[in-house]
């Protein structure tokens, strides 16, 4: 039997969307007879060149490119399977079901929601799509049950920081967007009726910065990892960022990190801090350790993650908790009630934390593959816009120079295209992650259960 030819599209070979697709590709290659190749999302013309059987996307609405890809494939009778990259959203009616899909029309068969909470909400709002809306769990979180992450000793040696034994991490909030006219509207949901909302938000940045500064100065024997928010700056914005961490990065006991793997950082840190951060939940999945929220305000809370963390409103409070942890090995405020809240929040946010969300999603991927249109029924139409985009990328690659392009207003917007065109890092991710997946499947006897079909009643009930 010939393999199912799948084209997977990504913006980058690192980060959230890549982490989402890797376990799906593993499942597709191992159990669904698929052959998967990756293309940069700018290269929509690859659909015409490669003539695939199926398109695989991390989402179909979070980027205009992913939307264009899904629509172009649909127009040619090519099936699309898309996941949901951001599945933890408000259920108060503000969530945009279609996002960047300006056609307000589904171009793929299934919309894979993370939790029962969000699934029920969308089903209630859009009952006309009841056959398309499914509950699978958050695929990207499977890695916390499957992969192994860097240990503290190895991390310190790699960073030449072996003089430290204590490590505290801080996950940046995207305060930098408040200083950039291109991104300032991204926080439009925070106090929307307050005419002074921007200045109101900025005051919290300075409060957090002041507390971090005092912690760093008064704990010289502790290494502080300050992690920039991944979407704080847009790819074409190469100027200086203003945030709560930039002024602190020159301290000798500080590591200011931008592109590093958050999972490794969560594993090496004794305490994890933030202002308002979804990485708190990821920290709970890695290990049971304190998470602190510094100077948060109710108007910033987008969900209930704060209920699983300890909230501090001053340097003194924060320092006291840090001292307690290093003196006793625990924090009294991290009570059974908070730990119970963490379990509930995990369930309400990502659905399942058993490492099998990609398998649940794989069930619907298989159903999609079972309904692939015949090659003779596909309409491979050339789209001149996507052809020109492809030609420009190919012609520009030999002349690409980051320094030159960075100083040219129009060209600097294309840096992300040229630097991630080949997605070469995907091979390295597969090389790193596939052995972990193999071990997870063997440990849980998943191959036999999947091939027999017995697994579906365990994961879904009766299917």
């Amino acid at each position: 039997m010939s393999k199912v030819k799948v084209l997977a599209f990504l913006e980058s070979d690192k980060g959230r969307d890549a982490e989402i697709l890797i376990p799906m590709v593993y499942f597709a290659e191992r159990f669904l007879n698929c052959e998967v190749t990756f293309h940069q999302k700018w290269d929509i013309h690859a659909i015409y060149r490669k003539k695939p059987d199926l398109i695989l996307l991390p989402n179909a609405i979070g980027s205009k490119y992913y939307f264009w890809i899904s629509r172009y494939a649909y127009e040619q009778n090519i099936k699309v399977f898309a996941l949901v990259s951001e599945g933890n959203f408000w259920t108060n009616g503000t969530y945009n079901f279609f996002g960047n899909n300006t056609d307000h029309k589904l171009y793929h068969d299934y919309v894979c929601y993370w939790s029962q909470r969000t699934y029920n909400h969308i089903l209630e709002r859009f009952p006309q799509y009841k056959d398309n809306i499914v509950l699978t769990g958050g695929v990207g979180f499977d890695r916390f049950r499957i992969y192994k992450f860097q240990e503290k000793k190895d991390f310190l040696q790699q960073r030449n920081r072996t003089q430290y034994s204590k490590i505290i991490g801080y996950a940046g909030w995207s305060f930098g967007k408040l200083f950039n006219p291109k991104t300032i509207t991204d926080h439009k949901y925070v106090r929307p009726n307050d005419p002074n909302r921007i200045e109101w938000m900025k005051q919290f940045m300075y409060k957090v910065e002041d507390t971090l500064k005092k912690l760093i100065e008064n704990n010289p024997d502790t290494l502080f990892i300050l992690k920039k928010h991944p979407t704080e700056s847009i790819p074409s914005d190469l100027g200086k960022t203003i945030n709560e961490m930039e002024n602190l990065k020159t301290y000798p006991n500080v590591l200011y990190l931008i592109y590093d793997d958050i999972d490794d950082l969560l594993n090496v840190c004794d305490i994890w801090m933030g202002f308002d951060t979804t990485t708190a939940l990821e920290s709970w999945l890695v290990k049971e350790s304190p998470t602190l929220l510094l100077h948060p305000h109710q108007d910033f809370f987008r969900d209930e993650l704060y209920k699983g963390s300890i909230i501090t409103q001053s340097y003194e409070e924060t320092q006291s908790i840090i001292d307690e942890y290093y003196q006793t090995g625990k924090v009294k405020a991290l009570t059974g009630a908070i730990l119970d809240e963490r379990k509930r929040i995990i369930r309400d946010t990502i659905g399942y934390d058993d490492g099998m969300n990609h398998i649940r999603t794989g069930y619907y991927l298989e159903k999609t593959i079972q309904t692939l249109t015949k090659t003779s029924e596909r309409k491979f139409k050339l789209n001149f816009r996507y052809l020109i985009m492809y030609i420009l990328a190919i012609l520009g690659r030999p002349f690409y120079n980051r320094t030159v392009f960075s100083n040219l207003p129009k060209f600097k917007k294309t840096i992300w295209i040229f630097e991630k065109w080949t997605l070469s890092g995907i091979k390295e991710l597969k090389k790193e992650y596939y052995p972990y997946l193999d071990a997870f499947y063997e440990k849980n006897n998943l191959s036999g259960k999947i091939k027999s079909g017995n697994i579906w009643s365990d994961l879904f009930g009766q299917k």
Side-chain angles (χ1 to χ4, degrees), residues 173-181 183-206 300:
W173 198 70
S174 50
F175 283 111
K177 291 186 176 185
L178 302 176
F179 300 86
N180 188 332
T183 58
I184 198 170
T185 58
D186 288 359
H187 294 315
K188 60 186 176 182
Y189 295 115
V190 181
R191 291 175 78 96
N193 299 318
D194 183 355
N196 298 314
R197 53 187 295 275
I198 301 301
E199 293 305 315
W200 181 85
M201 279 189 274
K202 287 180 180 178
Q203 70 171 307
F204 289 93
M205 184 189 82
Y206 298 119
F300 282 94

Side-chain angles (χ1 to χ4, degrees), residues 211-219 224 315 318-319 322:
T211 292
L212 288 174
K213 181 180 179 181
K214 290 177 179 176
L215 289 173
I216 291 165
E217 291 179 343
N218 295 327
N219 297 272
F224 287 85
Y315 155 72
T318 310
Q319 184 65 64
I322 291 173

Side-chain angles (χ1 to χ4, degrees), residues 21 34 79 127 159 208 237 255 295 306 352 362 392 428 454:
L21 286 196
C34 291
K79 285 283 184 175
R159 307 281 176 160
V208 173
D237 185 5
L255 279 178
H295 303 283
Y306 68 94
Y352 313 92
L392 289 175
E428 292 302 314
N454 294 332

Side-chain angles (χ1 to χ4, degrees), residues 12-114:
S12 173
D13 51 14
K14 293 183 179 180
R16 178 198 62 188
D17 288 348
E19 297 287 352
I20 289 173
L21 286 196
I22 291 296
M24 292 305 306
V25 171
Y26 175 89
F27 185 87
E29 291 179 339
R30 183 166 180 183
F31 298 102
L32 303 182
N33 192 39
C34 291
E35 181 180 74
V36 184
T37 57
F38 284 84
H39 288 266
Q40 222 266 359
K41 69 179 184 180
W42 177 269
D43 186 16
I44 306 176
H45 181 60
I47 298 175
Y48 182 80
R49 300 195 317 274
K50 303 295 182 178
K51 297 178 173 50
D53 301 308
L54 178 72
I55 300 298
L56 179 62
L57 298 173
N59 70 77
I61 66 169
S63 159
K64 64 181 180 181
Y65 296 98
Y66 291 147
F67 160 54
W68 291 344
I69 290 167
S70 65
R71 181 174 61 185
Y72 185 41
Y74 179 86
E75 291 170 349
Q76 300 179 85
N77 279 341
I78 300 173
K79 285 283 184 175
V80 175
F81 190 83
L83 291 87
V84 173
S85 295
E86 290 284 1
N88 182 31
F89 51 83
W90 281 347
T91 53
N92 60 1
T94 59
Y95 175 70
N96 188 345
F97 178 71
F98 287 103
N100 281 291
N101 182 336
T102 54
D103 293 349
H104 288 193
K105 179 180 178 180
L106 287 184
Y107 292 120
H108 51 107
D109 292 345
Y110 299 106
V111 186
C112 304
Y113 285 101
W114 291 4

Side-chain angles (χ1 to χ4, degrees), residues 40 392-397 400 405 411 414-422:
Q40 222 266 359
L392 289 175
I394 294 300
L395 293 178
R397 287 187 68 200
Y400 173 69
F405 276 46
F411 285 87
T414 67
I415 286 176
W416 67 274
I417 300 171
F418 294 112
E419 296 204 338
K420 295 299 181 180
W421 181 256
T422 62

Side-chain angles (χ1 to χ4, degrees), residues 121-272:
H121 172 71
I122 294 299
L123 193 61
E124 182 179 353
R125 284 182 63 193
F126 302 95
Q128 67 271 34
Y129 296 118
K130 62 182 179 63
D131 294 331
N132 307 99
I133 297 169
V134 296
L135 172 60
T136 62
V139 172
F141 298 91
D142 283 355
R143 66 190 190 274
F144 297 111
R145 291 290 174 263
I146 301 174
Y147 305 157
K148 293 182 180 179
F149 305 114
Q150 192 172 35
E151 297 295 333
K152 181 189 288 189
K153 180 180 178 182
D154 296 331
F155 178 87
L156 291 170
Q157 287 180 341
Q158 185 183 72
R159 307 281 176 160
N160 296 317
R161 296 292 195 283
T162 53
Q163 69 269 37
Y164 298 101
S165 60
K166 303 175 184 177
I167 307 180
I168 296 176
Y170 172 84
W173 198 70
S174 50
F175 283 111
K177 291 186 176 185
L178 302 176
F179 300 86
N180 188 332
K182 297 177 183 177
T183 58
I184 198 170
T185 58
D186 288 359
H187 294 315
K188 60 186 176 182
Y189 295 115
V190 181
R191 291 175 78 96
N193 299 318
D194 183 355
N196 298 314
R197 53 187 295 275
I198 301 301
E199 293 305 315
W200 181 85
M201 279 189 274
K202 287 180 180 178
Q203 70 171 307
F204 289 93
M205 184 189 82
Y206 298 119
K207 286 182 179 180
V208 173
E209 179 181 351
D210 183 62
T211 292
L212 288 174
K213 181 180 179 181
K214 290 177 179 176
L215 289 173
I216 291 165
E217 291 179 343
N218 295 327
N219 297 272
D221 63 337
T222 301
L223 179 65
F224 287 85
I225 298 174
L226 308 181
K227 178 67 169 67
K228 184 179 179 181
H229 192 280
T231 65
E232 184 171 55
S233 303
I234 57 179
S236 60
D237 185 5
L238 304 177
K240 181 182 177 180
T241 299
I242 301 176
N243 61 30
E244 72 274 42
M245 300 169 288
E246 281 283 339
N247 293 331
L248 309 175
K249 63 185 182 183
T250 58
Y251 281 89
N253 60 329
V254 166
L255 279 178
Y256 180 45
L257 305 178
I258 299 175
Y259 302 110
D260 296 71
D261 189 345
I262 189 70
D263 307 332
D264 288 334
L265 303 184
L266 294 173
N267 198 49
V268 303
C269 287
D270 307 314
I271 297 173
W272 191 252

